Amino acid sequence: MRKIAFLIPALLLAACSQPAPPAGPAADAPPPMTGSTPAEAAASTTPDPAAAPQATAEHASETPAPAAAADEGDARARIDSVLGDAAQYEKVFNAFKTAVVGGDRAAVVEEVRFPLNIAGGKKITGPGEFQRNYEKIITPAVVKAMSEQEFGKVFVNQQGVMIGDGQVWLTGECLDKACARTEVKVGTIQ
């Protein structure tokens, strides 16, 4: 009986640390980057700005796990399982974080996929438009979210990797029909 009493809190913690599955038709959707064309893959992996707040609400209700080391392994394993290639997501995360926190506009643009989804359901079509609107896109809230986020504690779902409370989303895109080659970039900043 003592062993069972010990296991129950561990099992509850494990169950609570997993994000809730998406509601509605997306719940049955296949993992991203399985489309037969890059356009289909992009459509399935680019976060819908209207859906991002739902993911944010799911993220806010989660109970954090007590051990950071366990979180890091879990986040990487979840990325590998749901999105594939956690190392590629981590590389983009680190480069984007360094660029945003350091105020390196050119390096920020290198990590962004265009068209870029931004707040209000708007899109930025290219690097020039991004640079002209930099202060409106890379707000103090975005800088704060990036500076405080640890890669091992990111939220992961089929839309991508969420940073902060949805301020930034990293998404993958297939580069060929078989999706053997992918590219991870920042797909949404809000």
Side-chain angles (χ1 to χ4, degrees), residues 10 15 26 34 84 96 116 146 190:
T34 59
F96 189 70
L116 172 70
M146 288 304 308
Q190 44 191 4

Side-chain angles (χ1 to χ4, degrees), residues 81-104:
S81 160
V82 175
L83 302 169
D85 198 2
Q88 192 176 172
Y89 280 86
E90 187 169 16
K91 179 180 175 186
V92 172
F93 171 89
N94 288 332
F96 189 70
K97 179 176 182 174
T98 299
V100 167
V101 173
D104 186 343

Side-chain angles (χ1 to χ4, degrees), residues 41-137:
S44 70
T45 61
T46 302
D48 175 1
Q54 176 186 0
T56 302
E58 290 172 8
H59 178 65
S61 66
E62 290 180 19
T63 304
D71 286 348
E72 290 179 23
D74 291 344
R76 286 177 181 82
R78 182 140 170 84
I79 291 169
D80 279 335
S81 160
V82 175
L83 302 169
D85 198 2
Q88 192 176 172
Y89 280 86
E90 187 169 16
K91 179 180 175 186
V92 172
F93 171 89
N94 288 332
F96 189 70
K97 179 176 182 174
T98 299
V100 167
V101 173
D104 186 343
R105 291 175 176 224
V108 168
V109 170
E110 289 299 315
E111 301 306 324
V112 172
R113 176 181 298 113
F114 295 101
L116 172 70
N117 298 312
I118 63 169
K122 298 176 185 172
K123 294 190 183 288
I124 298 294
T125 58
E129 184 181 6
F130 184 91
Q131 291 295 357
R132 285 189 301 277
N133 294 287
Y134 187 88
E135 288 82 15
K136 293 177 186 172
I137 300 167

Side-chain angles (χ1 to χ4, degrees), residues 96-181:
F96 189 70
K97 179 176 182 174
T98 299
V100 167
V101 173
D104 186 343
R105 291 175 176 224
V108 168
V109 170
E110 289 299 315
E111 301 306 324
V112 172
R113 176 181 298 113
F114 295 101
L116 172 70
N117 298 312
I118 63 169
K122 298 176 185 172
K123 294 190 183 288
I124 298 294
T125 58
E129 184 181 6
F130 184 91
Q131 291 295 357
R132 285 189 301 277
N133 294 287
Y134 187 88
E135 288 82 15
K136 293 177 186 172
I137 300 167
I138 305 298
T139 63
V142 170
V143 174
K144 182 177 186 227
M146 288 304 308
S147 66
E148 293 176 351
Q149 184 70 61
E150 295 176 36
F151 183 75
K153 296 181 181 179
V154 295
F155 174 81
V156 181
N157 70 13
Q158 290 181 333
Q159 290 181 316
V161 170
M162 183 178 80
I163 298 167
D165 290 326
Q167 286 89 348
V168 177
W169 283 84
L170 304 180
T171 59
E173 180 176 76
C174 293
L175 299 177
D176 56 31
K177 283 189 174 189
C179 204
R181 295 182 319 116

